[in-house]
Amino acid sequence: MLFEVFRTDDGSETVMQHPLGVSYHSRFGARTESEQVYLVNGLHFFTSENPGLSSVKIFEMGFGTGLNALLAAQYAQKTGIGIEYHTCELYPLPAEIYTQLYRGEAALLDPLHEAAWDKPARIHPFFTLVKYKQDLRQLDLTEVFDVVFFDAFDPDSQPDLWDYTVFEKLALAAHPGSVLTTYSSKGSVRRNLEKAAWRVEKLRGPAGKREVVRATQGCSSL
Ligand SMILES: C[S@@+](CC[C@H](N)C(=O)[O-])C[C@H]1O[C@@H](n2cnc3c(N)ncnc32)[C@H](O)[C@@H]1O
């Protein structure tokens, strides 16, 4: 497997994975995409719907560059809301690649990559990370999550990960009011989410993407 770092249109870097030829983020702006799809539509939406929360539990499909985790850790620092962030990653990026990314924030990013697998790592007083080096389909989800960042490679490259059985597994690890956000609004993705009892909304996408998705479980209060 080969990794190549490149700069996206908003100036932030991302990675291309070969031979699959898939990018970890939109070429129109990695950071812009992550901020809108996961931070604003997912985490910030959930905390706004549930004011007064002191902590949030997040599950992320695909740790990748660590950008979503980095943004969530910064959100926790800024708001004082405690975040327990669980994420799975089958093909971790080697240090020679992640040390080329987001260097202005290396002090927070590098500990995310260096954290041990399968046990909680306290990154700062408001952010705990638990990474699993496992295939999402085999991962045993024993926690209940408030927010899911569904950030697999696109459904054409990895259709198995967007199957309704995966969304059902995530629904079983959610509660009424939990939200799942993702960048793909493909018809088959929306149908598979609905089949797994997620209520789907289409939202305006970041540059280069007309629509993205937020899905909610059951009724909207905790
Ligand atoms: C779109 S990238 C994730 C980007 C990431 N969220 C970020 O902030 O950089 C998809 C990630 O899923 C990982 N992946 C691919 N197949 C997987 C699987 N079956 N289980 C777990 N992770 C997988 C890839 O290695 C890649 O890091």
Side-chain angles (χ1 to χ4, degrees):
M1 197 169 288
L2 206 73
F3 303 103
E4 179 196 343
V5 175
F6 71 99
R7 195 169 293 280
T8 63
D9 288 355
D10 67 2
S12 59
E13 309 90 16
T14 190
V15 172
M16 177 77 80
Q17 192 195 95
H18 300 288
L20 217 49
V22 282
S23 167
Y24 283 52
H25 300 97
S26 159
R27 66 186 170 85
F28 295 100
R31 183 176 289 260
T32 309
E33 176 185 53
S34 284
E35 280 174 352
Q36 186 170 338
V37 175
Y38 300 107
L39 261 283
V40 174
N41 294 352
L43 177 57
H44 187 62
F45 172 81
F46 184 81
T47 60
S48 309
E49 288 287 292
N50 298 281
L53 272 187
S54 59
S55 65
V56 176
K57 227 177 239 199
I58 299 178
F59 177 75
E60 176 190 39
M61 160 54 211
F63 175 72
T65 65
L67 179 57
N68 288 342
L70 173 72
L71 295 174
Q74 289 170 339
Y75 184 88
Q77 260 171 342
K78 205 168 62 194
T79 59
I81 296 173
I83 294 182
E84 195 178 300
Y85 195 99
H86 295 243
T87 180
C88 67
E89 176 54 64
L90 199 50
Y91 312 106
L93 288 179
E96 67 262 29
I97 297 298
Y98 72 72
T99 52
Q100 296 179 50
L101 301 169
Y102 323 129
R103 287 302 84 194
E105 293 140 301
L108 190 50
L109 182 75
D110 293 353
L112 299 172
H113 282 277
E114 288 156 8
W117 299 98
D118 296 317
K119 56 180 186 196
R122 194 165 182 262
I123 303 296
H124 65 61
F126 297 101
F127 193 83
T128 299
L129 178 70
V130 192
K131 295 193 299 186
Y132 309 97
K133 194 177 169 191
Q134 279 187 57
D135 188 317
L136 172 64
R137 291 160 297 185
Q138 267 84 61
L139 183 62
D140 197 11
L141 290 175
T142 54
E143 310 274 339
V144 175
F145 298 100
D146 303 303
V147 179
V148 177
F149 294 167
F150 196 83
D151 203 5
F153 288 132
D154 68 275
D156 292 333
S157 310
Q158 289 196 298
D160 291 2
L161 291 174
W162 300 81
D163 191 70
Y164 83 93
T165 52
V166 171
F167 294 136
E168 238 170 24
K169 174 178 178 143
L170 293 169
L172 289 172
H175 59 75
S178 294
V179 296
L180 175 155
T181 56
T182 190
Y183 64 87
S184 177
S185 64
K186 212 178 165 189
S188 59
V189 170
R190 287 185 279 118
R191 283 191 294 279
N192 285 347
L193 278 163
E194 281 166 350
K195 199 167 165 187
W198 290 92
R199 187 164 46 78
V200 174
E201 290 170 80
K202 287 194 278 186
L203 305 173
R204 199 164 58 81
K209 189 122 204 96
R210 204 154 55 89
E211 287 166 337
V212 295
V213 157
R214 176 168 58 227
T216 309
Q217 272 297 301
C219 59
S220 63
S221 61
L222 277 174

